[in-house]
Amino acid sequence: ESKVVDGSKHAVSADKMSELKIRLVQASEDHGTKLLDVSTPEFRAYAWLAEDARSGSDGGDYDDAQLLRRYALSAVYFSAEGGNWLRRDGWLTPKDECEWEGVSGCDDGAAVTNLDLKENK
């Protein structure tokens, strides 16, 4: 049975062990437990990333650092109800995640050193 998240066509059952899922599970502190639970922001971030034009189920054009940044930031977006934010320019778009509204200080690794979301209510 396929699960659809927020209108996404991402089918959980068709994605048993995609390259993207493997990469995210390996980087996860909980070994992917939250990533695999369709009720969590982590799963919603994964589903979004799997549909991202440059990512897809194989991890696509992103290097590991960028892939992890996009995943982490999209999990923040979903957990903080980003769809209701006042300032969300660039979020969940193909635009470089370091240019999303409120994101700055991306380093050469996967870290974002500054995230300013105080204007979002």
Side-chain angles (χ1 to χ4, degrees), residues 20 47-62 70 92-95:
L20 175 61
W48 168 76
L49 197 56
E51 294 296 323
D52 184 358
R54 287 177 50 204
S55 177
S57 63
D58 65 352
D61 295 338
Y62 299 122
R70 291 179 78 77
L92 304 188
T93 69
K95 186 175 184 177

Side-chain angles (χ1 to χ4, degrees), residues 48-101:
W48 168 76
L49 197 56
E51 294 296 323
D52 184 358
R54 287 177 50 204
S55 177
S57 63
D58 65 352
D61 295 338
Y62 299 122
D63 63 28
D64 282 344
Q66 190 173 25
L67 186 74
L68 293 175
R69 262 196 313 267
R70 291 179 78 77
Y71 172 70
L73 288 169
S74 60
V76 167
Y77 178 90
F78 288 118
S79 67
E81 299 181 15
N84 296 323
W85 290 351
L86 299 174
R87 300 176 57 188
R88 61 177 189 259
D89 291 344
W91 284 80
L92 304 188
T93 69
K95 186 175 184 177
D96 187 290
E97 68 281 359
C98 295
E99 296 175 12
W100 293 352
E101 183 77 31

Side-chain angles (χ1 to χ4, degrees), residues 1-5 8-13 38 43:
E1 174 184 346
S2 294
K3 305 260 187 202
V4 177
V5 178
S8 168
K9 304 233 186 304
H10 177 74
V12 177
S13 62
V38 298
F43 174 82

